[in-house]
Every structure is written in structure tokens, then in C-alpha cells.
Amino acid sequence: MCGIVGYIGKKEKLTKILSCLENLEYRGYDSSGIAYLKDNQINIVKKKGRISNLKDNLEESETTLAITHTRWATHGEPSDNNAHPHKIDKVTIVHNGIIENYLELKDKLQELGIKFKTETDTEVAAALLNKLYNDKKDVFEAILAFQKIARGSYAIGMLIEGDNNLYAIKKDSPLIIALAKDGYFIASDVPAILKETNRYITLEDLEFAKITENSLTVYNQNLETINYEVKVFESGVEQIDKGDFEHFMLKEIHEEDTVVKNTFNYYLEHLDEIPDITSYKKVEIISCGSAYNVGLLGKNLIEKYLDIPVNVQLASEYRYQKQFTNKDTLVIAISQSGETADTLAAVKLANKKGAKTLGIVNVKESSIARETSQVLYTKAGIEVAVATTKAYLSQLVVLIMLVYKSKKIRKELAEEEQLLNEIKELPKMIKELIERKDYYKIAESIYKNDDMYFIGRGIDYYIALEASLKMKEISYIHSESYAAGELKHGTISLIEENTPVIGVISNEDILEKTMSNIKETKSRGANITIITTEEITKSLDSDTNLIVVPKVNDLIEPILMIIPFQLLAYETAKLRGCDIDKPRNLAKSVTVE
Ligand code: F6R
């Protein structure tokens, strides 16, 4: 996690450089800091809290050289002191990643008399770089030696006293260098620099760069210069602007009709890019959080429509379980950011086992996109809110298209024309669902509770899992999702007068059974809401809180079912006054294991 922005050039306002950093707050936001050159001196200001707090404590000034950092604490609590940059003697750095052998290094450096002021691994990296620089009297040699000694992951922006250049060092954490009009920026991710330029290069692992006011040189481990390719980021700057919306999350939900349309259209027009999964004996899906939940929906659809067994695994557990992955397995890694450390590590292991790996990824050229044997990009655009909405839906669309393609190859798409017509109608239905007002009323009836439950059967259970995650992560209401039939095996003891229970019923086949489970909770005082489809409402009690979703082909129904839950979580979090786009303790790109 953590975000880095550095600048070198003719001159730039400190506030402007920090505004670039603010676009990386999704990577962490518990403290931030800046080191900048003024009157040939490196000044450092660090503050606990959001970047806005740092800005409030900073002089209005300009600089030709700066490094900045927004932190998601790993080693040491969030505090002014532990915030980056860290300076040891001549070397000042900001760092994203983890130096895994930092304790061992710290001991050795302490034996040499170096005093540490923080609990961070980054201060150890700064001390090591400084020692190597003092020993070798050469920055490049110091960097090369550092890369041999430091284990773990790092994207580092470095300043050296008296040197006045900007250095960028990378291994296993993303780092780009952007080419702006009057200088260069380094950054953890493209959104940071979009307001300045859309031209950038990507540093590869173990490469490093020396950047001056008007030159950029990239080196490999042999100190050979690299011919880099300048890329142009296609999406517009409006992606990182809230526009008239109160929150990014709401804006991104309002983009879902377009995202679903774009993802379907792209893959319907490029069916040849989608692999035929029927040629594999089994499928494994690896992912985390919401991407895990969507993987479960994928399992249900692939097993139901293609008769191929699918095993969905939490990426963080994959390496610690017995694996049956082999060359006959298709391993699908789902990740919005493409940088999730657990998913990336699982992909590397699956590759080693000879499996074909398929990434379903939103961020182009991210680590997972590059590590998988094939990638299907989702067409969600930049997602800023920490809680995923539109990216989750676009992942679901790609999973549906995997099923569609294989059914088509098997010539089993009996109602293809009708399905395609419904896919065409989906954006309109999504728009209507989003514009409804009934979520607020239900949110009002639950927002004062401390606990709540989501229940569903079959595929509805997987929808309940995502619904519950969305609710708890942004509203901080303790929420659990249960397979509807499982509640009575223990958890029903938690149902009290007015405990909210939200039932998901998307299919008539399981209506009666799930209704019985819902009624069991109602008899114990639960405040019931049911989210269901048009055709089912006819058989429900008239006094139930209902959110009704249009009925479409079962293959695409989950797309519509999830939207009310996203809005319900949003309205509930808003009533509770939560920081919706940046929930406490979270970060969007989880680059630590
Ligand atoms: C929840 C959420 C997370 C992510 C998870 C995986 O709203 O966004 O649970 O789904 O951290 O992230 P990616 O998809 O980037 O691998």
C-alpha cells in the first residue's frame, strides 16, 4: 500500500505536488509527508492524518525537487514520526512496499552506531542506502548494492543531499515516471499525474532511474541504459473528479450502466480474445474480498452452465493449502487493481505448477495482468472509492462472457437472441434501478443498529456475501452473510427484536425454502427486507419491505441483483456519517500479504 509522488522540474507549488498525491489516497491515508528542496536545503514536513492536514501545516512555497508519501501503516503506528519521508544523514526516501529483512539489517546498522528514531522498515532502507552511498561514494553503486541486500518489495523515491537529482528505484511495487511539460513526476499509479500529463513510462523490477530537471535515464542491473517506451493513458481526467456527486462511490455506481455496456460490447465484439474454458478439466478462481465474492458467482455460473468443477480460493490462503493445480487447470485470478499481493503470489505459484493463468483485471499492465498467461481487461475505468462497485460488476460481466463464449462453442446457446436483447436492455434497467429512491427508506430503518444479517441460498448466498461486505466496510455496522439454511444451526440465536435481516431471492426455485428461513427470523423479531425479482413478488406477504429488480435471464440476473445492495450500503453509511470513499483502516490497493 502507500502512495508515492515525486517531482523534479522548473518549479512547482508544493500544494500542487500534494494534490497529485491526493489522487493516491486510495492507497492509504493515515499519515503523509513531503521532503522538498528550498535554498539548497531539504525540508521535511510530516503529519498524521489526511494529506489535507499536511497541506494545512505547510508553508506556501515552490520547489524544483520533492518527494511525497501517503501512508497505510504496516511497521509502526500512524504518527507524525513514523510518516515518510525518512532521512538518514545524506539520504531521504519515501517508500511503498515492505523490506522483509529490515530487522536483521537494523541490528547490523545499529552495531555500526546508527540510531533509529522510528519503528519503520523504511528508515532502515534509508540508513542502508546512506551507508552504501558513504562507502561507495557513488549513487548507482549504492543502489545496486541495496538491491542485492534488501529483500521484499519497494518503490522508492530518493533524494541525496547536495546532489539535486531525483532517483526512483523499483522491485515488486509499481512505479511510473510521468513526462510533464516542465519536468518529471514519479508516482505509484497513473491517477496521480493525470491532471499534469497522460504520458508516462513504467519502471520494471530492479530497474532504477536518475531524473534531472530535463532528462530521464533508466538503468538495469548492469548499469546499461534502457530504451523505454512512453505510454499514453487513454482515459480522461474526469475519471478522477467527483463532478457533481457527493462521493466517488455514488459516482461510480452511476457509471455502472456504461461500464456494463462497454464490457459486454467489447467482449461480444472480440469473442476471439476469450478462451474456451471447456477445454480444461477444472477451473480454480483466486482472488480476495469482493473479487473473491464475484469469483463465487463465477463458480456458480460456470458449474451450472458448463458442467466444469470450479474451486474458488481466497488468494491469501492459496499457498497454504494442498493444491491440485496442474497443466489441465485453468486458474482465473480476479483483481481490480492487479496489484493485490496475495493474488499475485498465488498466480506465480499457479504458473509454476504449469497451469494456464487467466487474469480478469481492471488496471492495464498491472503486475497481475503481466504475470498471468492471458488477461481479459474489465472496462470499468479508474475506480477511486475504496469500496468497489463498478469494477466488481465489470468482473462479473467478464465471467458471464466466459460462460457465453464456451456455450456458443458448444452450440448450446438456445436462446441466444433473447439473451443478447436482454444484454442490450441491461444498461437501461441498471439506470432505472440506480435512480430509485427506496434504498433511503430502508437505510433509515437499519442505520441505528449495530448488527445485521444478509441471507440467501445458492447463487443468492454469494450475492449476500458481497452485500454484507459492502455494508460493513463502509457503514461499520457489524454485518454477516449466511447461507439461508445455515442460520438455524447457531446464528439465529443472535436475532433480536429489530435486528435487520435482508433476504436475497433471485430465483423461484428456492423461493419457498429461503422464505421459510426469513420467516424464522421474523418470528424472532427481525426487521425484514427482501430484495427479489418481479415475478417473485406476487407470492410475498404484502407487509414486507421489498426492493424489486427486473427479471432477466438467470445468467445475467446477478448483475441487477447486486445494485440495490450497493446503494443500500451507501445510504446507510451516509446516514451514519461515515467517510464513505475512504473507510477507516482500509486501502484500495493491498500490496502487502
Ligand atoms: C471491497 C474491496 C476489496 C477488494 C480486494 C481485492 O469493496 O474493494 O475487498 O475487492 O481488496 O482487490 P483487487 O480486486 O484490487 O485485487
Side-chain angles (χ1 to χ4, degrees):
M1 348 271 245
C2 303
I4 288 176
V5 168
Y7 168 79
I8 185 162
K10 282 223 172 82
K11 204 169 262 182
E12 199 55 271
K13 284 195 173 118
L14 300 186
T15 45
K16 174 111 163 254
I17 302 168
L18 286 175
S19 297
C20 295
L21 186 67
E22 273 174 329
N23 293 319
L24 296 185
E25 264 196 334
Y26 72 84
R27 302 177 73 88
Y29 35 82
D30 58 41
S31 52
S32 61
I34 181 168
Y36 61 99
L37 196 68
K38 190 178 178 194
D39 304 330
N40 261 333
Q41 294 281 330
I42 294 175
N43 295 309
I44 298 182
V45 186
K46 312 196 288 185
K47 282 283 156 214
K48 186 177 168 185
R50 294 280 162 85
I51 296 167
S52 55
N53 189 34
L54 175 66
K55 276 180 164 172
D56 293 344
N57 283 280
L58 204 61
E59 60 172 351
E60 266 190 34
S61 186
E62 294 178 326
T63 189
T64 53
L65 180 58
I67 49 176
T68 69
H69 186 269
T70 181
R71 182 168 184 246
W72 187 85
T74 56
H75 298 66
E77 56 165 10
S79 65
D80 291 0
N81 189 42
N82 284 334
H84 304 205
H86 292 288
K87 180 174 191 304
I88 298 270
D89 188 18
K90 300 188 190 72
V91 168
T92 307
I93 64 169
V94 287
H95 165 223
N96 165 215
I98 288 183
I99 307 298
E100 285 164 3
N101 55 339
Y102 83 106
L103 283 176
E104 179 191 322
L105 294 171
K106 193 171 186 173
D107 281 348
K108 286 191 186 144
L109 291 160
Q110 274 169 332
E111 277 167 25
L112 297 173
I114 294 166
K115 300 252 180 303
F116 290 95
K117 293 187 280 258
T118 79
E119 299 145 76
T120 63
D121 54 333
T122 303
E123 194 185 18
V124 177
L128 178 60
L129 279 160
N130 184 66
K131 177 186 166 357
L132 294 167
Y133 179 60
N134 281 339
D135 289 353
K136 298 184 183 292
K137 313 265 176 284
D138 181 275
V139 188
F140 290 2
E141 291 299 331
I143 293 174
L144 289 180
F146 173 83
Q147 289 178 325
K148 289 201 174 78
I149 299 168
R151 281 203 314 271
S153 57
Y154 45 82
I156 291 176
M158 177 168 76
L159 307 181
I160 306 247
E161 217 160 69
D163 173 297
N164 292 0
N165 298 307
L166 173 59
Y167 296 91
I169 315 170
K170 180 211 177 313
K171 177 180 168 273
D172 290 337
S173 286
L175 197 56
I176 62 154
I177 303 170
L179 290 63
K181 197 164 141 265
D182 288 319
Y184 297 90
F185 287 87
I186 63 169
S188 307
D189 197 0
V190 176
I193 49 85
L194 272 187
K195 284 194 178 146
E196 306 308 314
T197 176
N198 61 355
R199 297 172 66 235
Y200 68 99
I201 70 160
T202 311
L203 269 195
E204 300 295 333
D205 277 346
L206 295 176
E207 288 179 354
F208 68 91
K210 175 181 175 179
I211 317 167
T212 71
E213 186 191 315
N214 42 34
S215 74
L216 161 63
T217 321
V218 179
Y219 297 91
N220 66 13
Q221 292 277 284
N222 301 320
L223 287 189
E224 293 153 348
T225 55
I226 301 285
N227 289 326
Y228 50 79
E229 174 206 349
V230 177
K231 300 167 187 170
V232 177
F233 192 77
E234 308 136 8
S235 297
V237 76
E238 71 285 349
Q239 292 268 319
I240 52 165
D241 252 327
K242 271 203 296 252
D244 291 335
F245 289 94
E246 200 174 339
H247 297 99
F248 275 106
M249 183 176 175
L250 191 62
K251 173 179 180 246
E252 287 159 6
I253 292 173
H254 275 83
E255 287 167 0
E256 288 182 327
D257 56 328
T258 313
V259 165
V260 166
K261 184 168 86 192
N262 290 350
T263 312
F264 266 126
N265 284 353
Y266 180 85
Y267 285 108
L268 283 167
E269 281 162 25
H270 297 83
L271 265 185
D272 53 316
E273 289 182 16
I274 303 176
D276 169 16
I277 45 179
T278 56
S279 56
Y280 295 91
K281 290 212 173 72
K282 59 181 168 83
V283 173
E284 288 172 358
I285 300 182
I286 44 178
S287 41
C288 302
S290 290
Y292 171 78
N293 295 341
V294 86
L296 289 167
L297 288 176
K299 168 190 166 71
N300 183 289
L301 298 175
I302 293 169
E303 288 182 342
K304 175 172 168 183
Y305 290 98
L306 301 176
D307 264 325
I308 303 171
V310 182
N311 182 15
V312 187
Q313 293 214 32
L314 290 168
S316 55
E317 285 292 306
Y318 185 74
R319 282 167 296 158
Y320 312 106
Q321 311 283 337
K322 167 98 183 136
Q323 292 310 331
F324 298 94
T325 314
N326 58 33
K327 63 175 184 18
D328 297 323
T329 321
L330 173 67
V331 174
I332 304 178
I334 308 176
S335 176
Q336 186 285 128
S337 63
E339 297 297 344
T340 302
D342 287 313
T343 311
L344 181 60
V347 168
K348 286 182 180 166
L349 180 59
N351 280 338
K352 252 196 209 148
K353 285 179 172 280
K356 158 113 180 181
T357 48
L358 173 70
I360 298 182
V361 176
N362 196 39
V363 178
K364 275 212 172 134
E365 291 173 46
S366 51
S367 303
I368 294 169
R370 290 196 271 168
E371 196 65 38
T372 40
S373 354
Q374 191 191 343
V375 60
L376 298 176
Y377 283 111
T378 50
K379 307 286 169 191
I382 296 174
E383 191 177 61
V384 176
V386 166
T388 182
T389 52
K390 61 173 183 169
Y392 167 96
L393 268 196
S394 65
Q395 290 161 349
L396 179 55
V397 171
V398 174
L399 287 164
I400 290 169
M401 284 306 299
L402 276 172
V403 173
Y404 177 93
K405 159 84 181 248
S406 297
K407 288 285 278 179
K408 201 169 163 74
I409 287 182
R410 283 185 182 175
K411 301 201 181 343
E412 286 174 3
L413 267 178
E415 294 158 0
E416 184 176 5
E417 214 180 301
Q418 196 189 336
L419 176 65
L420 287 174
N421 280 338
E422 285 187 353
I423 288 175
K424 234 188 242 157
E425 289 301 304
L426 268 181
K428 205 169 117 227
M429 295 184 207
I430 293 173
K431 226 179 162 62
E432 278 168 18
L433 263 180
I434 292 170
E435 276 159 12
R436 276 197 214 157
K437 301 280 173 259
D438 29 5
Y439 316 109
Y440 180 79
K441 213 177 91 237
I442 295 168
E444 260 195 320
S445 80
I446 59 178
Y447 83 100
K448 288 188 181 143
N449 286 77
D450 294 328
D451 306 282
M452 66 182 295
Y453 300 89
F454 291 83
I455 62 173
R457 207 177 226 86
I459 197 161
D460 295 341
Y461 170 49
Y462 302 145
I463 292 169
L465 277 169
E466 175 60 7
S468 171
L469 175 58
K470 215 81 302 164
M471 179 62 80
K472 65 185 142 199
E473 69 181 329
I474 64 166
S475 77
Y476 314 149
I477 294 180
H478 166 245
S479 145
E480 301 272 350
S481 47
Y482 271 86
E486 189 60 20
L487 212 62
K488 58 185 173 298
H489 296 290
T491 312
I492 201 159
S493 65
L494 297 173
I495 306 293
E496 298 173 344
E497 195 59 36
N498 207 31
T499 305
V501 171
I502 315 238
V504 193
I505 311 178
S506 67
N507 204 306
E508 226 162 356
D509 302 346
I510 45 83
L511 167 66
E512 285 180 6
K513 292 254 185 290
T514 303
M515 263 326 285
S516 303
N517 302 132
I518 291 173
K519 286 201 168 134
E520 286 153 15
T521 67
K522 192 172 179 184
S523 318
R524 286 154 181 89
N527 164 21
I528 306 291
T529 299
I530 298 177
I531 301 195
T532 186
T533 58
E534 275 159 349
E535 53 167 24
I536 290 175
T537 48
K538 295 170 210 138
S539 17
L540 297 179
D541 298 347
S542 53
D543 66 335
T544 319
N545 280 332
L546 272 185
I547 295 181
V548 183
V549 171
K551 180 69 201 160
V552 288
N553 189 304
D554 281 351
L555 181 63
I556 55 174
E557 186 66 55
I559 295 178
L560 296 177
M561 287 299 288
I562 197 67
I563 293 167
F565 291 106
Q566 296 174 340
L567 283 155
L568 186 64
Y570 174 81
E571 293 294 355
T572 309
K574 201 169 148 196
L575 283 166
R576 287 167 69 92
C578 296
D579 192 346
I580 292 178
D581 286 335
K582 292 182 184 124
R584 69 182 174 215
N585 303 338
L586 287 175
K588 192 159 182 70
S589 190
V590 186
T591 54
V592 293
E593 291 177 21

